[in-house]
Amino acid sequence: MEFGTIEREIHIDASPEVVFDVVSSPEHLREWWPDEAEFPAVPGGAGRIGFGDCSQGGTWVQFTVVDAVPPRLFSFRWTHEEGESAAPGNSNLVVFELTPAGNGTLLRMTESGFRERGWDEAKIAARYAQHASGWDFYLPRLPAYAAKVGAGGQA
């Protein structure tokens, strides 16, 4: 099996402007993906996201914004070691592409960089499977939250 890129598409009943905010701002990200998020949502902005209660053994993951082009594109690198600058070869690249679709938005998410990490085949396969199942769990939470934000339910 090829473990190069994870790709998912999902339709969201909210405008690209709303969806862009929901996938790029730490306050919104915390509502559908990580439990914690601390980063400036500008190109080069470095920070971290947390899964679980980070004061009780949860996991912090490094996070660096690559591109932020409202309302079309938000991308970031993550999973690099603390103290390292995110780059190809030490991190994965996630890209959210947003396209108007009827009254909503088509979100296309890709995550790449597994093969470029220099890991052996078993580790590549394990990390790929872990991230694929993670996206399969978290992405379906995005449409309902974005629709709520779009309807003025949370800003």
Side-chain angles (χ1 to χ4, degrees):
M1 182 173 184
E2 176 54 47
F3 301 108
T5 302
I6 296 169
E7 298 180 27
R8 301 288 185 269
E9 283 190 355
I10 192 165
H11 184 270
I12 301 168
D13 290 326
S15 70
E17 291 78 10
V18 168
V19 176
F20 181 84
D21 285 346
V22 167
V23 299
S24 66
S25 81
E27 310 81 63
H28 288 309
L29 231 57
R30 286 191 287 262
E31 298 298 321
W32 67 271
W33 185 31
D35 298 297
E36 295 291 336
E38 304 170 350
F39 62 89
V42 296
R48 60 190 185 165
I49 59 175
F51 294 92
D53 184 341
C54 292
S55 67
Q56 301 290 320
T59 304
W60 283 109
V61 180
Q62 300 306 300
F63 186 101
T64 302
V65 176
V66 174
D67 228 340
V69 184
R72 296 188 345 252
L73 177 80
F74 183 73
S75 62
F76 60 88
R77 288 195 164 277
W78 71 319
T79 69
H80 48 292
E81 295 296 321
E82 191 166 356
E84 290 185 7
S85 294
N90 76 349
S91 60
N92 288 13
L93 175 66
V94 174
V95 178
F96 291 117
E97 294 176 85
L98 312 175
T99 307
N103 292 331
T105 303
L106 179 66
L107 179 140
R108 182 170 189 265
M109 185 283 305
T110 58
E111 182 177 12
S112 58
F114 297 95
R115 290 218 163 269
E116 293 76 10
R117 302 292 290 265
W119 295 329
D120 65 32
E121 201 65 24
K123 186 169 183 176
I124 292 169
R127 289 289 173 93
Y128 183 95
Q130 177 187 31
H131 285 231
S133 67
W135 289 118
D136 288 343
F137 176 78
Y138 290 109
L139 279 178
R141 298 166 53 158
L142 201 161
Y145 178 71
K148 185 170 105 177
V149 171
Q154 189 165 358

